[in-house]
Amino acid sequence: MTTERTLSIIKPDATRRNLTGKVNAHLEAAGLRIVAQKRLWLSRAQAEAFYAVHRDRPFFNDLVKFMTSGPVVAQVLEGPNAVAKNREVMGATNPANAAPGTIRKDFAESIEANSVHGSDSLDNAKDEISFFFARTEIVG
Ligand code: GDP
């Protein structure tokens, strides 16, 4: 298996409920190492840029509003097949469809306020990691 890095974001619904540690425990139990982490409050421009791929989706404005409604925790996760492994531990986008034991099943409030973001491909992971972190801030 290849060691990969992926970008994770703990979303405002989870930071509001003080769940950062519980989310991190799920990630670590799945074999992912948190090799960079920072808490920040996204500006509207940052959220729009990060989710630019969703610009034409009907929920884009709501998503930007939600992602700027409170602090987030951006993280770089490292491990074997980290991109797919993180998607697995996150669970389905809609928590109603998420498998037992996944972060979204355990913590998500709705299809929008679904507690975590995770890169969906290795290419996107590279772009998303560099959106938030300098190379010197990632310590494997
Ligand atoms: P993900 O890769 O599982 O996060 O899902 P997507 O890339 O499809 O969507 C990005 C994010 O937009 C999701 O994590 C949700 O926060 C939000 N989202 C997705 N679908 C919907 C929807 O139908 N309505 C609303 N309000 N938000 C959505």
Side-chain angles (χ1 to χ4, degrees):
M1 277 196 271
T2 324
T3 299
E4 296 174 350
R5 286 177 174 173
T6 190
L7 192 276
S8 165
I9 303 175
I10 302 177
K11 295 184 178 182
D13 67 289
T15 61
R16 178 172 46 77
R17 288 174 288 149
N18 208 23
L19 293 172
T20 299
K22 287 189 171 153
V23 170
N24 283 351
H26 275 58
L27 298 172
E28 292 181 343
L32 294 161
R33 301 180 74 85
I34 301 163
V35 296
Q37 179 167 259
K38 65 171 87 163
R39 184 173 167 106
L40 66 161
W41 197 313
L42 294 176
S43 67
R44 185 177 176 85
Q46 282 175 309
E48 285 177 350
F50 185 78
Y51 280 115
V53 65
H54 293 314
R55 198 179 297 277
D56 296 330
R57 309 268 292 267
F59 57 80
F60 180 72
N61 284 335
D62 286 343
L63 177 59
V64 168
K65 199 170 165 195
F66 164 62
M67 289 300 288
T68 57
S69 67
V72 301
V73 177
Q75 312 172 302
V76 180
L77 309 178
E78 184 179 87
N81 295 335
V83 173
K85 174 55 75 177
N86 185 42
R87 297 292 304 186
E88 187 185 316
V89 71
M90 286 164 61
T93 307
N94 185 344
N97 302 327
T102 60
I103 293 168
R104 284 166 166 172
K105 183 67 171 184
D106 287 353
F107 304 126
E109 295 181 317
S110 67
I111 190 170
E112 177 181 86
N114 59 7
S115 303
V116 281
H117 166 86
S119 309
D120 63 3
S121 71
L122 199 50
D123 278 351
N124 285 343
K126 290 193 168 84
D127 290 346
E128 292 180 359
I129 288 169
S130 62
F131 186 93
F132 285 105
F133 294 97
R135 286 177 69 98
T136 49
E137 294 178 305
I138 305 167
V139 183

